[in-house]
Each structure stands twice: as structure tokens, then as C-alpha cells.
Amino acid sequence: MAPSDTRHPHTRGYGMASARSRERLIERLAATGTFDPRVLEAMKAVPRHEFVDEAMASRAYDDSALPIGHGQTISQPTIVAEMTTLAIAGMEDTTVSDQVLEIGTGSGYQAAVLAELGASVVTMERVEPLYRLSRARLARLGYRRVEARLASQDVVGLPSRAPFKHIVVTAGADHFPTELFEQLADGGCMILPLAAEGGQRLYRIRRDGHTAVREVHDAVSFVPLIQS
Ligand code: SAH
């Protein structure tokens, strides 16, 4: 694979320095030994500094969530690595396109990481200015496998395109999102932050007929998912 800065010819200034700090961040994530190496390769290819405001670019390779406006945040790299590792565990071969529905486009970063893995992504955002910005950004960076859509104010997800084998929710649900569960294919998986006793936790939920098989993972802290 060619270095990301030649693959993304439109990236702003900050070129070589960002490539080095990105590599260091990925090395630190790799050192934990908990993430799928394919996910780390994908994250190495995505210029995270392009997904935040220019004033924030120098902090893009800190392992922290950053504000993206409208009270929303781009997730912490560790959490992106964890969610993506959980998401691709269910994909037989990530080099062939496997469709993923993402709820909460935000900056578009998580969608770009999934696209680097070979998935085709439908990503939904409820806040219109964020939707516009991330849609333009993903197009500028050449992420043709990502379809960014403005979410309806009344429905969570995209029932007209269901069922999806994979759903990744990057906003925290305060109750089980039945409407999204119904958009999962039988045998498919949904990764989401969900309120639990003692705080929000990351869950992987597999659909087995009408049954939701739940697996609980780490404690997380996401901005709220707007549910109906
Ligand atoms: N994945 C993003 C971070 C998401 S922040 C990234 O990589 O940058 C969570 C986003 O979910 C916010 O932008 C918020 O507006 C959006 N959101 C909340 N509820 C939603 C809903 N019901 N449908 C679509 N987007 C929603």
C-alpha cells in the first residue's frame, strides 16, 4: 500500500509531521496487544488530522476524543480501534465489500476506517451541518465506499435498506434500540455503547432470530444517541 499522504493528494499542510505522529499513535495502540492488526493498518492509512478543525490538527494524534462542533466529538482512537476490532470479528473477509450501517457520522473518521478495511459503509448523521461537512470531507479524501446520508428526525437507522449484517453505533443509547435491532440481518452484529448499571458500556449484540445475544465490553463515554 502506498503511503497515505500520496493516496490522499488533497491533504492539508502538516504532512510529514502528521505521518510520524500517526505512526507513533498506532504503535502505542499496537503495544496494548488488544486490537486486530488489520484495524491498526487501516487507522494508519486515515489522516485523522483531516477530520478535525484545523486549529485542533496538532492534537489529532493524541489518544483522545476531540470536539467537532455542535456539542459532538470525534471518538478517541483507542475506542475506534476497539469498536472496529469488534465489528470486523464478524466479517469473513474484509477485502470483499461487506455493508456496514454506521449511526453517527460525526467527523466521518470511523466511516473512513471501516472503508479502509474494505467495507462499504452507509453512514447516517442527524445534525445537518456535520452531515454536510463530513460528506464533503469524505469525498475530498477519496472515500468512495462511504455513502453519507442525513438521518431522518423520526427514524433511527435506514429501514428501507435493511437488513444489514453489521451495524456500528457511535453514539450512546440510553435504552436498547429495538428499531436498529430490527434492521440487523439474522446472524448479524451490532456494536454500540449502551447505558448499563454503573455507566455506559460497549456491547456487541448478535441477532439470532428474534433473540438479541449480548456481549458486554469496556466502559465508554459517548455523546447521546437520539432515540425515538
Ligand atoms: N463516528 C464519529 C463520532 C460520532 S459522535 C466520528 O468518527 O467522528 C456521535 C454522532 O452521532 C453525533 O454527530 C450525533 O449528532 C450523531 N447522532 C446522534 N443520534 C443520532 C441518530 N439517531 N441518527 C444519526 N446520528 C445521530
Side-chain angles (χ1 to χ4, degrees):
M1 201 189 286
S4 55
D5 287 338
T6 53
R7 283 194 56 215
H8 301 292
H10 305 297
T11 50
R12 296 185 294 238
Y14 193 57
M16 292 311 287
S18 77
R20 275 195 300 276
S21 31
R22 181 151 79 236
E23 250 163 59
R24 277 198 296 272
L25 168 66
I26 303 304
E27 279 163 17
R28 284 199 299 276
L29 296 178
T32 66
T34 45
F35 307 118
D36 189 311
R38 292 171 298 174
V39 171
L40 298 178
E41 274 305 303
M43 289 176 68
K44 210 187 269 183
V46 181
R48 191 172 185 258
H49 65 280
E50 293 283 347
F51 291 80
V52 295
D53 200 77
E54 210 149 4
M56 212 78 75
S58 63
R59 292 168 58 196
Y61 299 105
D62 293 351
D63 189 18
S64 53
L66 294 170
I68 55 172
H70 306 274
Q72 310 300 335
T73 55
I74 178 172
S75 311
Q76 183 189 355
T78 289
I79 302 300
V80 173
E82 179 172 6
M83 286 189 94
T84 315
T85 294
L86 288 172
I88 74 163
M91 299 183 193
E92 286 120 42
D93 180 1
T94 56
T95 59
V96 297
S97 47
D98 227 343
Q99 200 167 66
V100 182
L101 173 67
E102 183 196 20
I103 309 299
T105 311
S107 68
Y109 179 74
Q110 172 72 75
V113 171
L114 287 163
E116 288 284 352
L117 282 159
S120 57
V121 185
V122 180
T123 181
M124 318 274 307
E125 174 55 56
R126 211 169 180 276
V127 176
E128 188 163 359
L130 287 177
Y131 152 75
R132 289 189 186 285
L133 194 65
S134 54
R135 185 187 165 92
R137 170 185 287 140
L138 289 161
R140 174 172 61 87
L141 296 173
Y143 286 105
R144 284 182 205 85
R145 286 172 185 278
V146 182
E147 179 186 341
R149 299 180 65 117
L150 182 62
S152 132
Q153 304 290 308
D154 325 305
V155 184
V156 183
L158 194 57
S160 62
R161 294 270 289 273
F164 294 92
K165 268 173 76 184
H166 312 281
I167 300 180
V168 175
V169 185
T170 57
D174 64 5
H175 58 271
F176 184 84
T178 307
E179 336 170 51
L180 281 177
F181 180 72
E182 284 166 357
Q183 293 169 47
L184 260 185
D186 199 12
C189 281
M190 168 160 65
I191 314 299
L192 86 160
L194 177 62
E197 230 172 280
Q200 217 177 55
R201 301 286 292 260
L202 211 50
Y203 281 77
R204 173 161 52 198
I205 291 173
R206 190 170 55 79
R207 179 168 188 170
D208 183 3
H210 293 293
T211 309
V213 184
R214 298 171 191 229
E215 209 179 87
V216 191
H217 293 272
D218 289 346
V220 284
S221 168
F222 276 81
V223 296
L225 175 73
I226 310 296
Q227 292 174 275
S228 37

PDB file of all heavy atoms in Angstrom, residues 191-213:
ATOM      1  N   ILE A 191     -22.587  -3.209  17.070  1.00  0.00           N
ATOM      2  CA  ILE A 191     -21.685  -2.761  18.125  1.00  0.00           C
ATOM      3  C   ILE A 191     -22.227  -1.425  18.599  1.00  0.00           C
ATOM      4  O   ILE A 191     -22.447  -0.529  17.772  1.00  0.00           O
ATOM      5  CB  ILE A 191     -20.242  -2.542  17.593  1.00  0.00           C
ATOM      6  CG1 ILE A 191     -19.769  -3.694  16.703  1.00  0.00           C
ATOM      7  CG2 ILE A 191     -19.262  -2.271  18.730  1.00  0.00           C
ATOM      8  CD1 ILE A 191     -19.711  -5.027  17.347  1.00  0.00           C
ATOM      9  N   LEU A 192     -22.432  -1.274  19.897  1.00  0.00           N
ATOM     10  CA  LEU A 192     -22.955   0.013  20.359  1.00  0.00           C
ATOM     11  C   LEU A 192     -22.647   0.289  21.814  1.00  0.00           C
ATOM     12  O   LEU A 192     -22.514  -0.639  22.606  1.00  0.00           O
ATOM     13  CB  LEU A 192     -24.478   0.093  20.143  1.00  0.00           C
ATOM     14  CG  LEU A 192     -25.413  -0.460  21.215  1.00  0.00           C
ATOM     15  CD1 LEU A 192     -26.785   0.132  21.077  1.00  0.00           C
ATOM     16  CD2 LEU A 192     -25.495  -1.965  21.106  1.00  0.00           C
ATOM     17  N   PRO A 193     -22.519   1.592  22.150  1.00  0.00           N
ATOM     18  CA  PRO A 193     -22.448   1.987  23.542  1.00  0.00           C
ATOM     19  C   PRO A 193     -23.883   2.029  24.067  1.00  0.00           C
ATOM     20  O   PRO A 193     -24.764   2.611  23.430  1.00  0.00           O
ATOM     21  CB  PRO A 193     -21.865   3.398  23.496  1.00  0.00           C
ATOM     22  CG  PRO A 193     -21.613   3.720  22.043  1.00  0.00           C
ATOM     23  CD  PRO A 193     -22.388   2.754  21.233  1.00  0.00           C
ATOM     24  N   LEU A 194     -24.103   1.402  25.219  1.00  0.00           N
ATOM     25  CA  LEU A 194     -25.457   1.300  25.763  1.00  0.00           C
ATOM     26  C   LEU A 194     -25.395   1.511  27.272  1.00  0.00           C
ATOM     27  O   LEU A 194     -24.484   0.998  27.940  1.00  0.00           O
ATOM     28  CB  LEU A 194     -26.008  -0.094  25.417  1.00  0.00           C
ATOM     29  CG  LEU A 194     -27.384  -0.499  25.919  1.00  0.00           C
ATOM     30  CD1 LEU A 194     -28.483   0.399  25.361  1.00  0.00           C
ATOM     31  CD2 LEU A 194     -27.683  -1.969  25.537  1.00  0.00           C
ATOM     32  N   ALA A 195     -26.366   2.260  27.786  1.00  0.00           N
ATOM     33  CA  ALA A 195     -26.404   2.520  29.229  1.00  0.00           C
ATOM     34  C   ALA A 195     -26.566   1.204  29.971  1.00  0.00           C
ATOM     35  O   ALA A 195     -27.373   0.355  29.590  1.00  0.00           O
ATOM     36  CB  ALA A 195     -27.562   3.452  29.547  1.00  0.00           C
ATOM     37  N   ALA A 196     -25.778   1.033  31.000  1.00  0.00           N
ATOM     38  CA  ALA A 196     -25.854  -0.181  31.821  1.00  0.00           C
ATOM     39  C   ALA A 196     -25.754   0.275  33.270  1.00  0.00           C
ATOM     40  O   ALA A 196     -25.482   1.451  33.532  1.00  0.00           O
ATOM     41  CB  ALA A 196     -24.713  -1.117  31.482  1.00  0.00           C
ATOM     42  N   GLU A 197     -25.956  -0.646  34.194  1.00  0.00           N
ATOM     43  CA  GLU A 197     -25.786  -0.308  35.600  1.00  0.00           C
ATOM     44  C   GLU A 197     -24.337   0.131  35.801  1.00  0.00           C
ATOM     45  O   GLU A 197     -23.428  -0.534  35.327  1.00  0.00           O
ATOM     46  CB  GLU A 197     -26.059  -1.553  36.443  1.00  0.00           C
ATOM     47  CG  GLU A 197     -27.036  -1.294  37.568  1.00  0.00           C
ATOM     48  CD  GLU A 197     -27.413  -2.591  38.241  1.00  0.00           C
ATOM     49  OE1 GLU A 197     -28.276  -3.301  37.675  1.00  0.00           O
ATOM     50  OE2 GLU A 197     -26.829  -2.880  39.291  1.00  0.00           O
ATOM     51  N   GLY A 198     -24.130   1.284  36.415  1.00  0.00           N
ATOM     52  CA  GLY A 198     -22.764   1.738  36.641  1.00  0.00           C
ATOM     53  C   GLY A 198     -22.184   2.513  35.478  1.00  0.00           C
ATOM     54  O   GLY A 198     -21.011   2.853  35.490  1.00  0.00           O
ATOM     55  N   GLY A 199     -22.976   2.775  34.442  1.00  0.00           N
ATOM     56  CA  GLY A 199     -22.490   3.613  33.342  1.00  0.00           C
ATOM     57  C   GLY A 199     -22.562   2.932  31.996  1.00  0.00           C
ATOM     58  O   GLY A 199     -22.963   1.788  31.882  1.00  0.00           O
ATOM     59  N   GLN A 200     -22.141   3.704  30.974  1.00  0.00           N
ATOM     60  CA  GLN A 200     -22.215   3.202  29.595  1.00  0.00           C
ATOM     61  C   GLN A 200     -21.159   2.115  29.352  1.00  0.00           C
ATOM     62  O   GLN A 200     -20.025   2.245  29.790  1.00  0.00           O
ATOM     63  CB  GLN A 200     -21.893   4.394  28.703  1.00  0.00           C
ATOM     64  CG  GLN A 200     -22.644   4.508  27.423  1.00  0.00           C
ATOM     65  CD  GLN A 200     -22.242   5.790  26.704  1.00  0.00           C
ATOM     66  OE1 GLN A 200     -21.068   6.044  26.446  1.00  0.00           O
ATOM     67  NE2 GLN A 200     -23.231   6.611  26.406  1.00  0.00           N
ATOM     68  N   ARG A 201     -21.566   1.075  28.638  1.00  0.00           N
ATOM     69  CA  ARG A 201     -20.612   0.024  28.251  1.00  0.00           C
ATOM     70  C   ARG A 201     -20.751  -0.235  26.761  1.00  0.00           C
ATOM     71  O   ARG A 201     -21.809  -0.016  26.174  1.00  0.00           O
ATOM     72  CB  ARG A 201     -20.918  -1.288  28.995  1.00  0.00           C
ATOM     73  CG  ARG A 201     -20.883  -1.186  30.504  1.00  0.00           C
ATOM     74  CD  ARG A 201     -19.478  -1.082  31.024  1.00  0.00           C
ATOM     75  NE  ARG A 201     -18.722  -2.303  30.831  1.00  0.00           N
ATOM     76  CZ  ARG A 201     -18.520  -3.208  31.780  1.00  0.00           C
ATOM     77  NH1 ARG A 201     -19.028  -3.037  32.991  1.00  0.00           N
ATOM     78  NH2 ARG A 201     -17.803  -4.289  31.523  1.00  0.00           N
ATOM     79  N   LEU A 202     -19.658  -0.739  26.195  1.00  0.00           N
ATOM     80  CA  LEU A 202     -19.695  -1.157  24.796  1.00  0.00           C
ATOM     81  C   LEU A 202     -20.283  -2.563  24.740  1.00  0.00           C
ATOM     82  O   LEU A 202     -19.887  -3.432  25.523  1.00  0.00           O
ATOM     83  CB  LEU A 202     -18.262  -1.155  24.264  1.00  0.00           C
ATOM     84  CG  LEU A 202     -18.023  -0.846  22.807  1.00  0.00           C
ATOM     85  CD1 LEU A 202     -18.740   0.430  22.378  1.00  0.00           C
ATOM     86  CD2 LEU A 202     -16.522  -0.677  22.578  1.00  0.00           C
ATOM     87  N   TYR A 203     -21.252  -2.770  23.832  1.00  0.00           N
ATOM     88  CA  TYR A 203     -21.866  -4.086  23.668  1.00  0.00           C
ATOM     89  C   TYR A 203     -21.683  -4.579  22.250  1.00  0.00           C
ATOM     90  O   TYR A 203     -21.663  -3.782  21.319  1.00  0.00           O
ATOM     91  CB  TYR A 203     -23.390  -4.009  23.900  1.00  0.00           C
ATOM     92  CG  TYR A 203     -23.815  -3.960  25.338  1.00  0.00           C
ATOM     93  CD1 TYR A 203     -23.698  -2.784  26.058  1.00  0.00           C
ATOM     94  CD2 TYR A 203     -24.339  -5.089  25.967  1.00  0.00           C
ATOM     95  CE1 TYR A 203     -24.103  -2.728  27.387  1.00  0.00           C
ATOM     96  CE2 TYR A 203     -24.749  -5.039  27.286  1.00  0.00           C
ATOM     97  CZ  TYR A 203     -24.619  -3.865  27.995  1.00  0.00           C
ATOM     98  OH  TYR A 203     -25.011  -3.817  29.307  1.00  0.00           O
ATOM     99  N   ARG A 204     -21.569  -5.889  22.106  1.00  0.00           N
ATOM    100  CA  ARG A 204     -21.766  -6.483  20.784  1.00  0.00           C
ATOM    101  C   ARG A 204     -23.044  -7.301  20.894  1.00  0.00           C
ATOM    102  O   ARG A 204     -23.163  -8.186  21.748  1.00  0.00           O
ATOM    103  CB  ARG A 204     -20.604  -7.370  20.367  1.00  0.00           C
ATOM    104  CG  ARG A 204     -20.988  -8.093  19.055  1.00  0.00           C
ATOM    105  CD  ARG A 204     -19.832  -8.650  18.266  1.00  0.00           C
ATOM    106  NE  ARG A 204     -18.987  -9.472  19.079  1.00  0.00           N
ATOM    107  CZ  ARG A 204     -17.751  -9.805  18.743  1.00  0.00           C
ATOM    108  NH1 ARG A 204     -17.240  -9.385  17.621  1.00  0.00           N
ATOM    109  NH2 ARG A 204     -17.037 -10.554  19.531  1.00  0.00           N
ATOM    110  N   ILE A 205     -23.976  -7.009  20.019  1.00  0.00           N
ATOM    111  CA  ILE A 205     -25.264  -7.700  20.056  1.00  0.00           C
ATOM    112  C   ILE A 205     -25.440  -8.475  18.768  1.00  0.00           C
ATOM    113  O   ILE A 205     -25.373  -7.898  17.670  1.00  0.00           O
ATOM    114  CB  ILE A 205     -26.392  -6.686  20.288  1.00  0.00           C
ATOM    115  CG1 ILE A 205     -26.238  -6.161  21.720  1.00  0.00           C
ATOM    116  CG2 ILE A 205     -27.762  -7.327  20.066  1.00  0.00           C
ATOM    117  CD1 ILE A 205     -27.123  -5.049  22.100  1.00  0.00           C
ATOM    118  N   ARG A 206     -25.595  -9.762  18.887  1.00  0.00           N
ATOM    119  CA  ARG A 206     -25.788 -10.596  17.697  1.00  0.00           C
ATOM    120  C   ARG A 206     -27.257 -10.955  17.585  1.00  0.00           C
ATOM    121  O   ARG A 206     -27.922 -11.265  18.578  1.00  0.00           O
ATOM    122  CB  ARG A 206     -24.935 -11.866  17.789  1.00  0.00           C
ATOM    123  CG  ARG A 206     -24.899 -12.677  16.488  1.00  0.00           C
ATOM    124  CD  ARG A 206     -23.848 -13.780  16.560  1.00  0.00           C
ATOM    125  NE  ARG A 206     -24.036 -14.637  17.713  1.00  0.00           N
ATOM    126  CZ  ARG A 206     -24.937 -15.611  17.792  1.00  0.00           C
ATOM    127  NH1 ARG A 206     -25.731 -15.883  16.769  1.00  0.00           N
ATOM    128  NH2 ARG A 206     -25.049 -16.336  18.901  1.00  0.00           N
ATOM    129  N   ARG A 207     -27.778 -10.879  16.377  1.00  0.00           N
ATOM    130  CA  ARG A 207     -29.176 -11.242  16.176  1.00  0.00           C
ATOM    131  C   ARG A 207     -29.298 -12.727  15.858  1.00  0.00           C
ATOM    132  O   ARG A 207     -28.706 -13.215  14.897  1.00  0.00           O
ATOM    133  CB  ARG A 207     -29.785 -10.439  15.029  1.00  0.00           C
ATOM    134  CG  ARG A 207     -31.229 -10.841  14.797  1.00  0.00           C
ATOM    135  CD  ARG A 207     -31.952  -9.896  13.884  1.00  0.00           C
ATOM    136  NE  ARG A 207     -33.365 -10.268  13.882  1.00  0.00           N
ATOM    137  CZ  ARG A 207     -34.326  -9.545  13.351  1.00  0.00           C
ATOM    138  NH1 ARG A 207     -34.036  -8.399  12.776  1.00  0.00           N
ATOM    139  NH2 ARG A 207     -35.565  -9.949  13.393  1.00  0.00           N
ATOM    140  N   ASP A 208     -30.047 -13.421  16.698  1.00  0.00           N
ATOM    141  CA  ASP A 208     -30.296 -14.834  16.478  1.00  0.00           C
ATOM    142  C   ASP A 208     -31.808 -14.973  16.422  1.00  0.00           C
ATOM    143  O   ASP A 208     -32.476 -15.089  17.444  1.00  0.00           O
ATOM    144  CB  ASP A 208     -29.676 -15.625  17.646  1.00  0.00           C
ATOM    145  CG  ASP A 208     -29.837 -17.124  17.465  1.00  0.00           C
ATOM    146  OD1 ASP A 208     -30.375 -17.551  16.423  1.00  0.00           O
ATOM    147  OD2 ASP A 208     -29.435 -17.874  18.387  1.00  0.00           O
ATOM    148  N   GLY A 209     -32.362 -14.868  15.215  1.00  0.00           N
ATOM    149  CA  GLY A 209     -33.817 -14.850  15.065  1.00  0.00           C
ATOM    150  C   GLY A 209     -34.373 -13.606  15.734  1.00  0.00           C
ATOM    151  O   GLY A 209     -33.993 -12.489  15.394  1.00  0.00           O
ATOM    152  N   HIS A 210     -35.230 -13.819  16.753  1.00  0.00           N
ATOM    153  CA  HIS A 210     -35.765 -12.653  17.467  1.00  0.00           C
ATOM    154  C   HIS A 210     -34.997 -12.376  18.748  1.00  0.00           C
ATOM    155  O   HIS A 210     -35.352 -11.492  19.515  1.00  0.00           O
ATOM    156  CB  HIS A 210     -37.257 -12.861  17.771  1.00  0.00           C
ATOM    157  CG  HIS A 210     -38.077 -12.880  16.516  1.00  0.00           C
ATOM    158  ND1 HIS A 210     -38.231 -11.768  15.718  1.00  0.00           N
ATOM    159  CD2 HIS A 210     -38.735 -13.888  15.895  1.00  0.00           C
ATOM    160  CE1 HIS A 210     -38.962 -12.078  14.663  1.00  0.00           C
ATOM    161  NE2 HIS A 210     -39.274 -13.370  14.748  1.00  0.00           N
ATOM    162  N   THR A 211     -33.947 -13.155  18.967  1.00  0.00           N
ATOM    163  CA  THR A 211     -33.193 -13.021  20.213  1.00  0.00           C
ATOM    164  C   THR A 211     -31.958 -12.145  20.015  1.00  0.00           C
ATOM    165  O   THR A 211     -31.252 -12.272  19.016  1.00  0.00           O
ATOM    166  CB  THR A 211     -32.743 -14.417  20.709  1.00  0.00           C
ATOM    167  OG1 THR A 211     -33.893 -15.261  20.717  1.00  0.00           O
ATOM    168  CG2 THR A 211     -32.125 -14.366  22.091  1.00  0.00           C
ATOM    169  N   ALA A 212     -31.714 -11.259  20.986  1.00  0.00           N
ATOM    170  CA  ALA A 212     -30.505 -10.439  20.993  1.00  0.00           C
ATOM    171  C   ALA A 212     -29.499 -11.096  21.933  1.00  0.00           C
ATOM    172  O   ALA A 212     -29.730 -11.168  23.144  1.00  0.00           O
ATOM    173  CB  ALA A 212     -30.825  -9.032  21.472  1.00  0.00           C
ATOM    174  N   VAL A 213     -28.419 -11.605  21.370  1.00  0.00           N
ATOM    175  CA  VAL A 213     -27.392 -12.230  22.204  1.00  0.00           C
ATOM    176  C   VAL A 213     -26.355 -11.162  22.544  1.00  0.00           C
ATOM    177  O   VAL A 213     -25.679 -10.632  21.670  1.00  0.00           O
ATOM    178  CB  VAL A 213     -26.731 -13.413  21.459  1.00  0.00           C
ATOM    179  CG1 VAL A 213     -25.729 -14.125  22.367  1.00  0.00           C
ATOM    180  CG2 VAL A 213     -27.793 -14.381  20.933  1.00  0.00           C
TER     181      VAL A 213
END
